[in-house]
């Protein structure tokens, strides 16, 4: 399916108008593939009277059948036999329901150049080795969590000298080691090589607070970065604004605001969203976002708050062309940002309140809550 490669090998990573034609062709081909190979998706399309040839303009993307992420947490659907998959990931690994999303080899060949292109654009790629401290799960055969894969993937933008994980698998479960993480950061501060911290924002905030309360601080080497993946999840009531988080990182770790990067994505939508220098999530050419009314699901204009609908033709193995998240957000014209990008940017406000969804971050938070800082 060359239309997918043609889109994801696009060099102009934020040129939405210039990529519209490629995006629409890839979406039509992707939908046609799922209709042919996935009975459940075909039934949904037939029930809605949808066919791929209805997608001729960007506005027509709203006609795509929208499957909520909750659907994938309760039903396993596939457009490809398992033996043809490159790998499979899940959205949660500790408790509750979870999505299972398969990745085909064509997806991998499209995803790698996308990640590298955006990594270079945002100056994440460096030939200088780094020591990594990951406030998250250590990947292994015992789980297939997408968040573990994402965090592990982020350790490849600079050659890893070492990787330390705050959550490790032991005796059938994950065991937190926050004390070890603090010790490793202290060692990183004495190293001539930069450090890179990969973490959920909430874990970083709580960890740095405890370090500061103990009267401790450290200065990580020049070139060190903080890479934040995911949101505040069930800690949304304790969420702090970004300036406070960045200020604490500079006080406690010596990492300046320009060296803090945030990422947004989902197992069901593994497109690389990275904040710009103004800390906004501009939509890359490999994705489109529709904000929908929470009651009618009709598309909303720029600036209005609703449910976030994510669209990409990246995956053939699972019918996730158009998925509805349980996130509330809104879009803003790119020109309002001031970073130079003209692509609209997405602001996530929080979860819509689906209590029966347990996320990977929620499960990890429970585990990390059992640990104590030194």
């Amino acid at each position: 399916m060359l239309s997918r490669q043609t889109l994801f090998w696009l060099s102009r990573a934020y040129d939405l108008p210039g990529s519209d034609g490629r995006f629409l062709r890839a979406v039509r081909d992707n939908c046609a593939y799922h209709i042919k190979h996935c009975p459940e998706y075909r039934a949904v399309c037939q029930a809605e009277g949808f066919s791929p040839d209805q997608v001729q303009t960007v506005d027509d993307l709203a006609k795509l059948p929208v499957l909520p992420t909750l659907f994938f947490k309760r039903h396993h659907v596939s457009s490809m036999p398992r033996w043809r998959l490159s790998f499979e990931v899940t959205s949660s690994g500790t408790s509750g329901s979870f999505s299972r999303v398969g990745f085909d080899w064509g997806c991998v060949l499209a995803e790698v150049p996308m990640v590298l292109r955006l990594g270079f654009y945002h100056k994440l790629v460096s030939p200088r080795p780094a020591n990594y401290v990951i406030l998250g799960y250590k990947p292994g055969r015992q789980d297939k969590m997408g968040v573990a894969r994402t965090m592990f993937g982020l350790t490849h933008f600079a050659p890893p000298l070492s990787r330390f994980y705050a959550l490790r698998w032991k005796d059938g479960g994950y065991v937190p080691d926050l004390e070890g993480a603090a010790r490793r950061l202290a060692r990183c501060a004495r190293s001539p090589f930069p450090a890179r911290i990969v973490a959920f924002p909430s874990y970083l905030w709580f960890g740095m607070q405890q370090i500061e309360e103990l009267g401790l601080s450290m200065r990580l080497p020049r070139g060190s970065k903080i890479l934040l993946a995911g949101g505040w999840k069930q800690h949304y009531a304790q969420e702090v604004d970004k300036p406070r988080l960045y200020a604490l990182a500079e006080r406690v770790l010596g990492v300046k605001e320009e060296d803090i990067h945030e990422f947004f994505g989902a197992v069901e939508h593994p497109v690389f969203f990275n904040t710009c220098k103004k800390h906004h999530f501009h939509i890359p050419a490999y994705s489109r976002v529709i904000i929908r009314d929470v009651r009618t699901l009709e598309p909303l204009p720029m600036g209005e708050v609703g449910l976030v609908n994510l669209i990409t033709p990246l995956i053939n193995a699972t019918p996730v062309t158009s998925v509805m998240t349980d996130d509330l957000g809104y879009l803003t014209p790119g020109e309002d940002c001031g970073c130079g990008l003209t692509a609209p940017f997405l602001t996530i406000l929080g979860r819509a309140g689906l209590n029966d969804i347990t996320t990977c971050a929620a499960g990890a938070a429970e585990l990390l809550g059992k640990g104590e800082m030194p």
Side-chain angles (χ1 to χ4, degrees), residues 134-204:
I134 301 97
L135 302 184
Y137 300 101
K138 183 176 182 179
R141 294 181 179 180
Q142 72 281 348
D143 69 68
K144 297 180 180 180
M145 283 184 294
V147 67
R149 173 180 177 265
T150 297
M151 289 187 165
F152 180 71
L154 291 175
T155 67
H156 289 86
F157 282 124
L161 282 173
S162 65
R163 295 186 183 95
F164 179 91
Y165 289 88
L167 286 171
R168 302 182 182 187
W169 187 264
K170 183 179 180 181
D171 298 330
Y174 278 101
V175 178
D177 186 8
L178 293 183
E179 182 177 347
R183 287 198 302 266
R184 180 56 64 95
L185 283 173
R187 285 175 55 186
C188 289
R190 299 190 296 268
S191 171
F193 293 97
R196 293 195 173 196
I197 301 172
V198 183
F200 287 104
S202 56
Y203 303 169
L204 180 70

Side-chain angles (χ1 to χ4, degrees), residues 29-198:
D29 289 346
N30 186 251
C31 287
Y33 184 90
H34 292 309
I35 290 172
K36 181 178 180 180
H37 297 281
C38 180
E40 295 87 352
Y41 188 76
R42 181 166 59 249
V44 171
C45 291
Q46 290 173 346
E48 297 190 10
F50 171 80
S51 64
D53 58 10
Q54 294 174 7
V55 181
Q56 298 298 323
T57 69
V58 173
D59 289 340
D60 291 336
L61 292 172
K63 300 176 183 177
L64 291 168
V66 183
L67 298 180
T69 54
L70 185 60
F71 172 83
F72 294 100
K73 295 177 188 296
R74 293 178 174 174
H75 306 279
H76 178 229
V77 294
S78 179
S79 302
M80 195 173 286
R82 294 193 67 177
W83 63 268
R84 289 187 56 193
L85 301 182
S86 171
F87 55 86
E88 186 178 72
V89 298
T90 66
S91 62
S92 175
T94 54
S95 61
S97 55
F98 55 86
S99 299
R100 289 169 56 188
V101 176
F103 285 68
D104 54 283
W105 285 105
C107 165
V108 174
L109 293 175
E111 186 180 34
V112 170
M114 169 191 67
V115 172
L116 289 175
R117 184 83 62 190
L118 290 166
F120 275 108
Y121 181 90
H122 293 284
K123 299 180 180 179
L124 293 173
V125 179
S126 171
R128 191 180 182 193
N131 294 298
Y132 288 88
V133 177
I134 301 97
L135 302 184
Y137 300 101
K138 183 176 182 179
R141 294 181 179 180
Q142 72 281 348
D143 69 68
K144 297 180 180 180
M145 283 184 294
V147 67
R149 173 180 177 265
T150 297
M151 289 187 165
F152 180 71
L154 291 175
T155 67
H156 289 86
F157 282 124
L161 282 173
S162 65
R163 295 186 183 95
F164 179 91
Y165 289 88
L167 286 171
R168 302 182 182 187
W169 187 264
K170 183 179 180 181
D171 298 330
Y174 278 101
V175 178
D177 186 8
L178 293 183
E179 182 177 347
R183 287 198 302 266
R184 180 56 64 95
L185 283 173
R187 285 175 55 186
C188 289
R190 299 190 296 268
S191 171
F193 293 97
R196 293 195 173 196
I197 301 172
V198 183

